[in-house]
Amino acid sequence: MLIRILGAAAGGGFPQWNCGCPNCDGLRRGTIRARPRSQVTIALSGDADRWVLMNCGPDIRAQIEAFPALWPRAPRHSPIAAIVLTCGDLDHTLGLLSLRENHPLTVLATETVRHGFVEGNALYRTLERFPGQVTWRTLVAGLEVPLDHPDPAQATLFATPVPVPGKPPVHLEGRAPAREDQAVGLIVRDLQGRRLAAFPGAGGITPAMRAAMAGADALIFDGTFWSEDELARPGLMDRRAAEMAHLPIDGKAGSLALLADLAVARKLFVHINNTNPILREDGAERARVEAAGWTVAEDGMEIAL
């Protein structure tokens, strides 16, 4: 299995366009050791020919251009066989609207995520330029589905959705009830039996999530915030990590502690917010996560399982 981190940042990217926090300001001025990151999208392949996108963020066009394996190989062609959405947040879905140029798309999502993106969304009409422009395939918790081809006999990657603690996307808050399938992680396996546990967004860790992670060859996990009050403390936003359905890294109830005993060879934090101190390559927080066996994902990072 080939894994390419097309983008590693949370919504807004790094630096964020309207943020002058110490991280963003330091990156712009060159006064800190850090690298820019685009919004999170991950590409997977089981044969180095067909690729599956895990989520499709607003930076997708530039991310495709930065990765030759995703370039067209004919006047009208794309090696992107499918796009799988783990939630309905805009930083995970908005890039779909950028792929509107009369090309067929296959999108896998839970019914709640599909409904939230399609129903009542006038902009979705840009993906209805011809009959069947988008083929939706439904993700159901616990049921494995082929990813890169609808026929299991021709697929090289398969995924089993695992519900994660989450919430409705911001644009649906107060309009849609919370549902179990509003956010999922994925256990992706290839034909050789190698397994990737991918949880790019998670408000907690359930027993089912831990059971699914066990025995994985690599783990991709939500690294949005370092601390619960990361935005509230400096007055950037009056919301805590838990309210935004993200489990912070630090603390006794943080992911670093809760996953310390997980025996996985490769562990990556993704969806990293621009305020997170792990972005600083020479910072104490970066040293702590690396000492614990974690990698802070960067745009362009590649892993072969």
Side-chain angles (χ1 to χ4, degrees):
M1 187 188 313
L2 302 175
I3 304 166
R4 167 87 175 202
I5 306 297
L6 300 180
F14 177 55
Q16 182 175 300
W17 68 278
N18 66 336
C19 187
C21 73
N23 278 357
C24 291
D25 188 64
L27 181 64
R28 291 188 181 104
R29 299 178 185 277
T31 57
I32 65 170
R33 284 184 55 190
R35 302 184 186 188
R37 288 164 171 80
S38 59
Q39 296 170 84
V40 66
T41 299
I42 300 166
L44 309 171
S45 181
D47 59 6
D49 180 43
R50 293 172 295 180
W51 290 82
V52 175
L53 300 185
M54 186 185 304
N55 296 315
C56 191
D59 302 317
I60 187 60
R61 193 204 68 81
Q63 291 168 343
I64 289 172
E65 292 305 311
F67 187 34
L70 298 183
W71 293 355
R73 302 166 193 165
R76 278 292 184 269
H77 169 267
S78 174
I80 299 172
I83 301 165
V84 56
L85 306 177
T86 61
C87 73
D89 291 348
L90 289 184
D91 59 330
H92 291 70
T93 63
L94 197 56
L96 286 174
L97 299 176
S98 297
L99 305 181
R100 63 190 181 276
E101 286 84 9
N102 285 38
H103 191 85
L105 300 173
T106 296
V107 183
L108 293 86
T110 68
E111 177 55 26
T112 293
V113 171
R114 185 208 66 80
H115 186 275
F117 186 80
V118 173
E119 302 302 324
N121 180 5
L123 296 177
Y124 182 71
R125 295 181 62 192
T126 65
L127 295 176
E128 295 179 322
R129 297 187 179 192
F130 58 87
Q133 183 174 355
V134 180
T135 298
W136 289 89
R137 295 169 55 205
T138 304
L139 295 177
V140 178
L143 297 182
E144 186 179 75
V145 294
L147 287 181
D148 53 343
H149 197 284
D151 181 357
Q154 301 185 56
T156 67
L157 293 177
F158 303 81
T160 302
V162 180
V164 302
K167 68 173 187 61
V170 172
H171 59 283
L172 294 179
E173 287 182 355
R175 297 188 176 190
R179 299 184 185 277
E180 185 182 48
D181 68 344
Q182 65 196 352
V184 297
L186 299 172
I187 304 301
V188 183
R189 71 168 179 91
D190 63 15
L191 294 175
Q192 289 72 42
R194 290 175 287 247
R195 296 171 66 242
L196 166 68
F199 295 87
I205 300 172
T206 66
M209 290 169 62
R210 287 192 63 90
M213 295 174 192
D217 297 283
L219 170 65
I220 291 176
F221 198 79
D222 185 341
T224 307
F225 298 119
W226 174 257
S227 59
E228 178 66 27
D229 61 349
E230 187 169 309
L231 296 179
R233 182 168 18 90
L236 297 174
M237 182 183 292
D238 189 23
R239 299 191 76 179
R240 299 174 69 83
E243 297 176 77
M244 302 173 73
H246 293 293
L247 180 69
I249 295 171
D250 192 29
K252 293 181 179 179
S255 57
L256 202 62
L258 294 179
L259 296 175
D261 62 342
L262 190 67
V264 176
R266 301 291 302 273
K267 296 182 290 187
L268 285 78
F269 281 124
V270 300
H271 199 265
I272 306 160
N273 200 61
N274 58 285
T275 53
N276 195 325
I278 66 172
L279 290 168
R280 298 196 178 207
E281 297 170 6
D282 54 356
E285 294 84 359
R286 171 69 76 92
R288 278 187 58 193
V289 299
E290 290 180 344
W294 288 83
T295 297
V296 179
E298 299 176 358
D299 289 19
M301 183 175 288
E302 296 185 1
I303 300 171
L305 298 183

